[in-house]
Amino acid sequence: MKKIELEFPIHASPSFIYQYVSTPDSLGEWFADNVNSRGQNFTFIWDDSEETAKRVAQRTDQFVRFKWIDADDEDAFFEFRIQVDALTKDVSLIITDFAEDDEEEELKMFWENKISDLKHAIGG
Protein backbone atom coordinates (compact mmCIF):
# COMPACT_ATOMS: atom_id res chain seq x y z
CA MET A 1 0.00 0.00 0.00
CA LYS A 2 1.20 3.46 -0.86
CA LYS A 3 0.56 6.45 1.41
CA ILE A 4 -1.06 9.37 -0.41
CA GLU A 5 -1.38 12.94 0.87
CA LEU A 6 -3.59 15.45 -0.91
CA GLU A 7 -4.01 19.12 -0.01
CA PHE A 8 -7.16 21.10 -0.71
CA PRO A 9 -7.60 24.82 0.07
CA ILE A 10 -10.90 25.41 1.88
CA HIS A 11 -12.32 28.84 2.60
CA ALA A 12 -13.74 28.21 6.08
CA SER A 13 -12.58 28.34 9.68
CA PRO A 14 -10.75 25.32 11.14
CA SER A 15 -13.54 24.74 13.68
CA PHE A 16 -16.19 24.77 10.93
CA ILE A 17 -14.21 22.30 8.80
CA TYR A 18 -13.52 20.11 11.83
CA GLN A 19 -17.24 19.70 12.40
CA TYR A 20 -17.65 18.48 8.81
CA VAL A 21 -14.90 15.87 9.08
CA SER A 22 -15.60 14.56 12.59
CA THR A 23 -19.36 14.26 13.17
CA PRO A 24 -21.64 11.59 11.66
CA ASP A 25 -24.33 14.06 10.54
CA SER A 26 -21.85 16.31 8.77
CA LEU A 27 -19.91 13.41 7.20
CA GLY A 28 -23.28 12.22 5.87
CA GLU A 29 -23.68 15.51 4.01
CA TRP A 30 -20.62 15.03 1.79
CA PHE A 31 -18.55 11.90 2.43
CA ALA A 32 -21.16 9.13 2.43
CA ASP A 33 -24.89 8.80 1.83
CA ASN A 34 -25.38 8.19 5.54
CA VAL A 35 -23.12 7.85 8.57
CA ASN A 36 -23.98 6.24 11.90
CA SER A 37 -21.77 6.09 14.94
CA ARG A 38 -21.60 4.06 18.08
CA GLY A 39 -18.79 5.19 20.36
CA GLN A 40 -15.62 5.39 18.28
CA ASN A 41 -17.05 3.24 15.44
CA PHE A 42 -18.47 5.02 12.40
CA THR A 43 -20.49 3.14 9.79
CA PHE A 44 -20.33 4.76 6.34
CA ILE A 45 -23.14 3.84 3.94
CA TRP A 46 -22.98 4.35 0.16
CA ASP A 47 -25.82 3.09 -2.04
CA ASP A 48 -25.90 -0.61 -1.16
CA SER A 49 -22.50 -0.91 0.52
CA GLU A 50 -21.50 -0.32 4.11
CA GLU A 51 -18.04 0.06 5.70
CA THR A 52 -17.14 0.57 9.34
CA ALA A 53 -14.15 2.53 10.56
CA LYS A 54 -12.90 3.22 14.05
CA ARG A 55 -11.93 6.76 15.02
CA VAL A 56 -8.44 6.09 16.35
CA ALA A 57 -7.19 9.65 16.98
CA GLN A 58 -8.44 13.21 16.99
CA ARG A 59 -7.57 16.69 18.16
CA THR A 60 -10.32 19.30 18.10
CA ASP A 61 -10.03 21.74 15.16
CA GLN A 62 -6.86 20.00 13.94
CA PHE A 63 -7.37 16.42 12.75
CA VAL A 64 -9.36 13.21 12.91
CA ARG A 65 -8.05 9.77 11.90
CA PHE A 66 -10.09 6.70 11.03
CA LYS A 67 -9.02 3.08 10.49
CA TRP A 68 -11.19 0.72 8.46
CA ILE A 69 -12.23 -2.25 10.63
CA ASP A 70 -11.86 -4.77 7.77
CA ALA A 71 -8.67 -3.30 6.25
CA ASP A 72 -6.11 -5.75 4.88
CA ASP A 73 -3.23 -3.45 5.76
CA GLU A 74 -2.78 -3.02 9.52
CA ASP A 75 -0.99 0.32 9.06
CA ALA A 76 -3.53 1.89 6.66
CA PHE A 77 -5.81 4.70 7.81
CA PHE A 78 -7.47 7.80 6.42
CA GLU A 79 -7.08 11.16 8.03
CA PHE A 80 -8.47 14.67 7.71
CA ARG A 81 -5.92 17.25 8.91
CA ILE A 82 -6.68 20.97 9.01
CA GLN A 83 -3.67 23.16 8.31
CA VAL A 84 -3.50 26.95 8.67
CA ASP A 85 -0.68 28.85 6.97
CA ALA A 86 1.08 30.94 9.63
CA LEU A 87 1.59 33.93 7.31
CA THR A 88 -1.43 34.04 5.04
CA LYS A 89 -3.92 32.32 7.40
CA ASP A 90 -5.10 30.27 4.41
CA VAL A 91 -6.79 27.06 5.51
CA SER A 92 -6.20 23.71 3.82
CA LEU A 93 -7.57 20.25 4.40
CA ILE A 94 -4.88 17.58 4.10
CA ILE A 95 -6.20 14.11 3.26
CA THR A 96 -4.00 11.12 4.04
CA ASP A 97 -5.08 7.76 2.62
CA PHE A 98 -3.55 4.55 1.29
CA ALA A 99 -3.92 2.88 -2.11
CA GLU A 100 -2.54 0.01 -4.12
CA ASP A 101 -0.16 1.27 -6.83
CA ASP A 102 -2.68 0.64 -9.60
CA GLU A 103 -5.46 2.45 -7.68
CA GLU A 104 -3.63 5.71 -6.91
CA GLU A 105 -5.24 7.81 -9.65
CA GLU A 106 -8.68 6.42 -8.85
CA LEU A 107 -8.20 7.32 -5.18
CA LYS A 108 -7.09 10.87 -6.06
CA MET A 109 -10.20 11.32 -8.22
CA PHE A 110 -12.39 9.95 -5.42
CA TRP A 111 -11.00 12.53 -2.97
CA GLU A 112 -11.23 15.38 -5.49
CA ASN A 113 -14.92 14.56 -5.96
CA LYS A 114 -15.55 14.24 -2.23
CA ILE A 115 -13.82 17.55 -1.45
CA SER A 116 -15.91 19.18 -4.16
CA ASP A 117 -18.98 17.81 -2.35
CA LEU A 118 -17.60 19.14 0.95
CA LYS A 119 -17.06 22.63 -0.49
CA HIS A 120 -20.59 22.59 -1.85
CA ALA A 121 -21.97 21.47 1.54
CA ILE A 122 -20.21 24.27 3.42
CA GLY A 123 -20.96 26.85 0.74
CA GLY A 124 -17.33 27.40 -0.21
Side-chain angles (χ1 to χ4, degrees):
M1 294 288 268
K2 181 178 181 181
K3 184 177 181 179
I4 310 231
E5 282 195 358
L6 304 168
E7 181 173 346
F8 299 94
I10 308 248
H11 300 291
S13 72
S15 59
F16 194 64
I17 296 169
Y18 183 78
Q19 174 191 328
Y20 272 87
V21 299
S22 65
T23 64
D25 288 344
S26 294
L27 283 163
E29 287 185 44
W30 68 277
F31 184 65
D33 296 331
N34 194 13
V35 180
N36 299 314
S37 69
R38 176 165 290 163
Q40 300 300 315
N41 290 336
F42 285 61
T43 302
F44 299 92
I45 301 160
W46 295 275
D47 295 325
D48 56 354
S49 71
E50 191 174 291
E51 297 281 338
T52 301
K54 182 175 184 177
R55 184 175 53 207
V56 293
Q58 70 183 70
R59 182 166 292 135
T60 302
D61 297 347
Q62 294 182 24
F63 79 95
V64 62
R65 179 181 292 183
F66 294 94
K67 189 171 183 57
W68 295 114
I69 299 286
D70 297 330
D72 294 333
D73 186 338
E74 283 294 312
D75 298 324
F77 61 88
F78 67 102
E79 179 180 89
F80 304 110
R81 181 172 298 275
I82 301 160
Q83 179 175 291
V84 181
D85 185 282
L87 293 176
T88 65
K89 303 297 183 206
D90 289 341
V91 179
S92 293
L93 184 61
I94 312 293
I95 306 289
T96 303
D97 202 350
F98 290 79
E100 300 288 343
D101 286 339
D102 61 339
E103 296 175 350
E104 186 176 342
E105 287 306 312
E106 187 178 324
L107 184 69
K108 287 180 181 178
M109 286 187 352
F110 169 81
W111 282 115
E112 287 169 5
N113 288 333
K114 288 297 163 189
I115 297 303
S116 176
D117 293 346
L118 170 62
K119 289 179 177 180
H120 182 75
I122 64 176

